[in-house]
Amino acid sequence: MILSTENIAALAYLLLAPLAGGLLAGLDRKITARMQGRIGPPILQPFYDLSKLFSKRLAPVNRLQVPLVASHFFFIVLTGVLFFEGSDILLIIFVLTLAEVFLVLAAYSTGSPYGSIGAERELILMMSYEPMIILTLVGLYEGAKSFNFYEIFASESPLILELPGIYLGLLCVLVMKMQKSPFDISTSHHAHQELVKGLTADLGGPALGLVELAHWYESVYLYAIVFLFFSSSPLMAVIGLAVTYFLVILIDNITARVKWQATLGIAWTLALVAGAGNLIPFYLITRGH
Amino acid sequence: MSAVERSIWIVHYDASSCNGCDIEVLACLTPVYDAERFGLILTGNPKQADLLLVTGSVNARNLPVLRQIYEQMPDPKAVVAIGACAYSGGVFSECYNVSGGVASAIPVDVYVPGCAAKPESILDGVLKAAAILAERRKALRGVSGGTLPEALREAEASR
């Protein structure tokens, strides 16, 4: 059996994404600490945390919780594998939604008030970022005439110059997906939140470790989508990704958490104004030729 | 240092402290002392915590609460009692409702002295407890099964 480039990329993702995602998380914590005038944990801290979590005893609240969390993990990884396998990005986004739903169900299953409110807010978050994700896909399609990661990558059109509004909207989605302020309403990396841990309040030990690991897998392909905007030159890709990564951390540190109404309002307004406002003229110009 | 020693998540319970020790615990988390550089995180959630920090003395009201928090923490776990009140009841030990220090409710691993305890000594106590946690994980590792492992009981007895 001969492996194609896509197969190798998917396999590399499967093996290396936890490493990259963990390092991204570690660097994030270090930069955040420096912004707050602290020394901060070592870069490898997320790996210590994960190893610790998996060494704890599994104490599920009910029998449903762990299978649901495992399904969440499976579908997040599957999303990434499909993505790097070169599958249709539309399909990928639907698998991603399914993965999120499993996590929400896991939070609901225990009946804990913190978990339930966290789950409700996660649904609101999903409702907030879905329109912008769809607009991002439409934008990528309009720019590169494809729903395939590698074809968009190969199109060599400087998408960031053609779709700055879409990029802005995607940045907002990224902040939500990374559970960052001001949109960390369902759960947060910091415990000083009114819901304690919200969505993951009833998860401990290995189950929480699995959610964390899924988050690392997720962050890698989210940044891969960001990469598509800058893929026309390697230098631009590095700068673009670094600036995006830094912006997400900066936004986290300079904003306060908003209520769910504002989350929905900001996300949809941005999707409508920046997303559609970018897409409509772009569509008219490219179709006009 | 093992991963367990480098990643200590804390749940803090104020039994009936005068708030003196609690302020010092919070001081540990400020940029000045920056507990996160040792991998310490305040979780506020017993299910995700490795270490229970208790300040203040135990009375009839908070005893069941303290026990419940302790029982909700998954093994391996450890307890740090902070300040004079958590050790013996302190100045409140003669009160009609005070049953004594934290040890009158749950097993304690490390006592941090002081009234109020200094942030430096709290961090020191937490790191000592981290070493105990690592020992306990080693003891747990050799054992499988759903019941409370024998090794854990041995660890309890060796305290």
Side-chain angles (χ1 to χ4, degrees):
Chain A
M1 196 178 77
I2 300 154
L3 289 173
S4 65
T5 322
E6 284 90 347
N7 292 146
I8 293 168
L11 202 65
Y13 168 79
L14 203 60
L15 299 175
L16 298 178
L19 203 67
L23 284 175
L24 281 177
L27 205 59
D28 183 328
R29 280 173 74 173
K30 195 79 182 172
I31 294 171
T32 297
R34 287 300 161 93
M35 282 180 181
Q36 297 169 355
R38 297 187 283 120
I39 295 169
I43 303 280
L44 296 179
Q45 188 61 43
F47 297 102
Y48 301 143
D49 287 345
L50 197 73
S51 155
K52 190 276 306 279
L53 284 173
F54 280 115
S55 80
K56 298 280 278 186
R57 275 162 67 85
L58 185 64
V61 180
N62 57 38
R63 280 158 67 189
L64 207 56
Q65 209 180 17
V66 174
L68 285 174
V69 168
S71 305
H72 166 70
F73 176 75
F74 174 78
F75 280 102
I76 287 281
V77 175
L78 184 69
T79 310
V81 169
L82 286 174
F83 186 82
F84 288 101
E85 184 71 29
S87 297
D88 197 313
I89 291 189
L90 271 177
L91 166 77
I92 290 162
I93 295 305
F94 293 132
V95 178
L96 174 63
T97 309
L98 184 63
E100 297 295 342
V101 167
F102 275 118
L103 187 59
V104 167
L105 285 176
Y108 268 131
S109 75
T110 62
S112 136
Y114 293 121
S116 296
I117 298 175
E120 267 157 36
R121 290 188 182 179
E122 182 66 23
L123 287 175
I124 289 166
L125 265 184
M126 286 167 70
M127 204 164 89
S128 305
Y129 62 63
E130 280 303 299
M132 193 58 234
I133 287 189
I134 301 292
L135 282 181
T136 304
L137 298 185
V138 175
L140 288 175
Y141 182 80
E142 282 304 317
K145 294 284 170 282
S146 170
F147 280 125
N148 178 307
F149 175 66
Y150 295 97
E151 282 170 19
I152 299 170
F153 173 50
S155 76
E156 285 186 354
S157 49
L159 288 173
I160 181 67
L161 300 179
E162 294 170 354
L163 306 165
I166 298 280
Y167 171 76
L168 202 66
L170 186 63
L171 190 67
C172 176
V173 172
L174 212 56
V175 172
M176 289 179 172
K177 279 290 205 184
M178 294 286 160
Q179 297 150 5
K180 298 283 194 190
S181 270
F183 303 125
D184 51 348
I185 55 172
S186 69
T187 183
S188 167
H189 290 293
H190 318 288
H192 19 99
Q193 204 223 28
E194 74 275 15
L195 292 183
V196 190
K197 267 293 194 182
L199 196 62
T200 53
D202 265 332
L203 297 170
L208 185 66
L210 217 51
V211 173
E212 194 59 30
L213 197 59
H215 188 62
W216 296 357
Y217 270 107
E218 193 181 12
S219 56
V220 170
Y221 65 69
L222 285 174
Y223 278 107
I225 295 178
V226 174
F227 165 73
L228 287 176
F229 282 82
F230 302 98
S231 59
S232 50
S233 90
L235 181 70
M236 213 162 101
V238 171
I239 294 172
L241 281 174
V243 167
T244 309
Y245 180 72
F246 186 77
L247 273 179
V248 170
I249 299 172
L250 186 70
I251 292 168
D252 184 33
N253 277 286
I254 60 173
T255 54
R257 185 175 306 118
V258 294
K259 291 181 182 175
W260 68 264
Q261 293 92 333
T263 303
L264 199 62
I266 292 168
W268 280 14
T269 308
L270 204 63
L272 194 71
V273 176
N278 186 174
L279 212 55
I280 293 166
F282 182 68
Y283 181 80
L284 291 175
I285 291 165
T286 49
R287 289 294 155 110
H289 289 172
Chain B
M1 271 171 102
S2 70
V4 173
E5 280 177 272
R6 288 171 184 272
S7 162
I8 306 291
W9 293 4
I10 290 166
V11 60
H12 169 213
Y13 180 62
D14 173 356
S16 57
S17 168
C18 69
N19 259 347
C21 291
D22 303 299
I23 288 168
E24 302 304 321
V25 168
L26 293 180
C28 294
L29 306 166
T30 59
V32 179
Y33 295 100
D34 186 25
E36 204 190 351
R37 72 197 144 113
F38 301 117
L40 309 182
I41 287 181
L42 196 68
T43 64
N45 185 350
K47 286 193 191 76
Q48 299 172 356
D50 308 298
L51 205 59
L52 173 59
L53 298 190
V54 193
T55 52
S57 57
V58 172
N59 59 38
R61 279 280 184 192
N62 64 39
L63 189 136
V65 181
L66 189 53
R67 280 209 178 127
Q68 192 181 18
I69 293 173
Y70 181 74
E71 278 159 14
Q72 281 179 342
M73 291 167 64
D75 292 313
K77 59 189 169 188
V79 179
V80 177
I82 293 167
C85 299
Y87 171 60
S88 65
V91 288
F92 305 109
S93 58
E94 299 296 312
C95 288
Y96 68 94
N97 60 337
V98 168
S99 58
V102 177
S104 64
I106 53 172
V108 177
D109 298 286
V110 177
Y111 288 102
V112 175
C115 178
K118 280 181 157 190
E120 290 92 336
S121 53
I122 294 174
L123 283 176
D124 188 44
V126 166
L127 294 179
K128 280 202 166 67
I132 294 173
L133 266 176
E135 283 302 308
R136 237 162 247 172
R137 183 174 81 144
K138 267 185 218 151
L140 269 175
R141 217 184 241 164
V143 192
S144 59
T147 56
L148 188 73
E150 201 61 39
L152 192 72
R153 263 183 239 128
E154 276 169 29
E156 303 253 320
S158 68
R159 259 182 218 165

